[in-house]
Amino acid sequence: IRSSCSFNDDIQGTTAVVVAGLVAAQLLTGRRLEEERVLFYRAGEEGAGIADLLAAHLATDPLNPAQVQ
């Protein structure tokens, strides 16, 4: 069985743009992302991708990774 890498724009592309926007907003406003609430309404594959990447980003911040839920 052969496998190959692929890029799913609906999941990975949307995820990258949304998380980049959240990080940019954090820098512009001076507010920290871990202090914000994020709602995923009718979260499908894109919402799951955003949640995963956002959690990974927050886990690399100087905040305690156990606080990321």
Side-chain angles (χ1 to χ4, degrees):
I1 298 176
R2 292 181 55 183
S3 65
S4 60
C5 294
S6 64
F7 180 83
N8 184 331
D9 183 52
D10 288 340
I11 299 169
Q12 294 158 308
T14 301
T15 297
V17 169
V18 170
V19 174
L22 290 171
V23 171
Q26 172 185 341
L27 295 173
L28 288 171
T29 63
R31 294 172 65 169
R32 297 186 52 84
L33 283 176
E34 61 269 12
E35 297 169 357
E36 303 297 330
R37 290 185 182 192
V38 180
L39 172 68
F40 296 94
Y41 179 72
R42 296 185 56 154
E45 293 294 323
E46 295 90 350
I50 294 166
D52 286 344
L53 185 59
L54 185 57
H57 170 72
L58 290 172
T60 62
D61 262 3
L63 144 96
N64 181 356
Q67 293 177 342
V68 178
Q69 297 179 7

